[in-house]
Amino acid sequence: MVKVGDKAPIFEAVTDSGEKISLADFIGKHNIVLYFYPKDNTPGCTREACAFRDNWNLLKDYDVVVIGVSSDDINSHKKFKEKYQLPFILVSDPDKKIRELYNAKGFILPARITFVIDKRGIIRHIYNSQFNPENHVKEALKALQKIREEEVRN
């Protein structure tokens, strides 16, 4: 099970645009907000994605890459992203291998869990809340602020 202080597990995935990416592409360059959600176009997942979108200007200030992960296919992600004008990456995890790497499986529903990863690839914050989707971006912003404060001190 991954925990705060661990190196973030590296994965490769296909994005909503059909591009293949690796988490390693961003380590050393950006902070990363990696959020797992159950399903495109469901009420809670839409509120969560739109909360990240609506706070995009704040997030950008922290030199962050946001990656949303669900088991929906690329076509579903593409439509979801276009419909809600989401400015971040969505990746498809059809076999749930990325979820497994991060132990983000859940019980009945796939887990709604957010990981904040610093530029060194270290997990700095984990927020797990199925029923408070809008709070994920608030938690991510708090963690990013803390990372920035530590960078300034060092």
Side-chain angles (χ1 to χ4, degrees):
M1 180 152 144
V2 295
K3 57 192 180 312
V4 170
D6 287 354
K7 272 251 184 234
I10 301 298
F11 62 85
E12 290 186 349
V14 178
T15 70
D16 52 89
S17 65
E19 179 187 0
K20 194 171 192 175
I21 63 163
S22 170
L23 192 71
D25 298 339
F26 306 109
I27 293 174
K29 299 174 191 152
H30 305 282
N31 293 306
I32 302 159
V33 173
L34 178 66
Y35 84 94
F36 293 86
Y37 65 99
K39 189 156 182 48
D40 292 341
N41 290 302
T42 57
C45 298
T46 299
R47 288 198 321 270
E48 181 178 25
C50 290
F52 277 105
R53 177 200 65 202
D54 294 347
N55 285 277
W56 189 244
N57 285 336
L58 293 172
L59 287 160
K60 283 192 320 191
D61 286 344
Y62 292 102
D63 188 21
V64 70
V65 171
V66 175
I67 304 171
V69 181
S70 84
S71 58
D72 293 301
D73 64 30
I74 296 164
N75 196 37
S76 175
H77 281 336
K78 188 175 183 163
K79 289 177 184 171
F80 185 53
K81 186 172 180 169
E82 286 172 5
K83 182 176 182 179
Y84 294 102
Q85 298 172 348
L86 305 177
F88 48 85
I89 300 166
L90 297 178
V91 300
S92 190
D93 184 26
D95 52 11
K96 299 177 178 58
K97 282 192 172 21
I98 304 170
R99 275 192 183 280
E100 236 168 78
L101 274 177
Y102 282 82
N103 197 34
K105 292 178 277 198
F107 296 106
I108 297 166
L109 292 172
R112 181 185 312 283
I113 185 167
T114 298
F115 296 84
V116 178
I117 303 163
D118 68 17
K119 290 178 184 174
R120 297 172 301 141
I122 305 298
I123 297 171
R124 300 295 299 275
H125 186 70
I126 301 171
Y127 180 68
N128 188 349
S129 175
Q130 190 68 268
F131 301 108
N132 200 343
E134 296 94 342
N135 215 38
H136 285 258
V137 70
K138 293 175 192 166
E139 287 288 319
L141 284 164
K142 279 193 251 178
L144 291 164
Q145 177 62 36
K146 188 175 176 190
I147 291 168
R148 175 181 281 161
E149 288 167 2
E150 289 172 13
E151 287 172 349
V152 168
R153 278 199 302 271
N154 297 331

